[in-house]
Amino acid sequence: MTERQTVRIALYQPDIPQNTGTILRMAACFGLSVDVIGPAGFSLTDAAFRRAGLDYLEKAALVRHASWEAFMAERAERPGRLVLSTTRASQTHAGFGFAPDDILLFGRESSGAPEIVHAAADARIRIPMVDGVRSLNLAVSVALVVGEALRQTGGFPPA
């Protein structure tokens, strides 16, 4: 059986363990990998994820990176665009053309992504929202973008 190629999720220094746990659970359900780029605002140990309610940890394809530099060094060894989800983008996620080897990158809940991350991104996308609101919950944002990427690329698991 050949492994299907599908998008990856990358979380830049996440702050809230429950959001990360929810994202890891969703990724496990869809057979996706998640890169967690540290330092995070919480412990990245298996025990800490279990305390956050992640009972799918054994099924999640989790890759921990100690730093942005460590993530970028590993990224250099695999294909795919780095697609940053940010409120500062002009292109919407629904209007963007995703590819199966894209790495979908999301910033911190508290402060988003710094300039060094923006500069490294191959593309930037945003989720359109009504005026006067700040942002969506991180796990909700990831689900929206991942859902669109999987729809476009045929990356959902077989029914």
Side-chain angles (χ1 to χ4, degrees), residues 4 9 20-34 54-62 146 150 157:
R4 65 190 176 92
I9 300 166
T20 302
T22 299
I23 293 162
L24 286 167
R25 183 178 183 132
M26 179 198 66
C29 289
F30 293 136
L32 305 178
S33 296
V34 179
L54 180 62
D55 55 348
Y56 278 47
L57 189 59
E58 295 77 25
K59 297 184 186 322
L62 171 62
V146 166
L150 293 178

Side-chain angles (χ1 to χ4, degrees), residues 72-138:
M72 290 300 286
E74 184 178 310
R75 180 186 174 252
E77 297 177 18
R78 66 177 118 129
R81 297 177 298 182
L82 193 58
V83 181
L84 176 63
S85 181
T86 173
T87 57
R88 294 170 35 192
S90 57
Q91 174 74 53
T92 67
H93 75 294
F96 183 75
F98 291 98
D101 60 359
D102 284 342
I103 302 165
L104 309 178
L105 177 61
F106 299 84
R108 299 185 80 146
E109 292 96 327
S110 60
S111 58
E115 275 310 312
I116 192 169
V117 173
H118 277 267
D122 298 303
R124 288 170 226 30
I125 58 171
R126 69 177 172 80
I127 299 167
M129 297 180 286
V130 299
D131 289 337
V133 297
R134 266 194 352 243
S135 63
L136 292 165
N137 171 280
L138 178 64

